[in-house]
Amino acid sequence: MPIYEYACKKCGLEFETLVRSGTVPDCPGCRSTDLEKKLSVFATAGSTAQAAPVAAGPCGSCGHPGGPGACALN
Ligand SMILES: [Zn+2]
């Protein structure tokens, strides 16, 4: 279930809320439905994780300069 961040255009309150399909969120401060939808918290975290570089060294796990398997001797 997605969590979306909204900014209320009426009172300026920013809040996060669960949004079920078919429902319209309203401002917890003034109950206005005139909201500006911002980025999903989950979507932002997911794209960040996917974009993160994978630390792959010569041995594929620890980056030991001795080459594949060298770290296993330590
Ligand atoms: Zn409001």
Side-chain angles (χ1 to χ4, degrees):
M1 190 180 303
I3 294 180
Y4 292 109
E5 187 173 349
Y6 287 89
C8 178
K9 293 181 181 179
K10 188 174 180 181
C11 72
L13 181 68
E14 295 186 3
F15 61 97
E16 298 170 0
T17 187
L18 292 171
V19 180
R20 290 185 172 87
S21 58
T23 66
V24 179
D26 57 2
C27 173
C30 67
R31 314 315 298 181
S32 170
T33 55
D34 188 11
L35 308 173
E36 180 179 342
K37 186 177 178 182
K38 307 180 80 171
L39 287 177
S40 164
V41 174
F42 286 165
T44 300
S47 60
T48 299
Q50 291 174 357
V54 178
C59 75
S61 61
C62 73
H64 193 287
C71 61
L73 300 177
N74 293 338

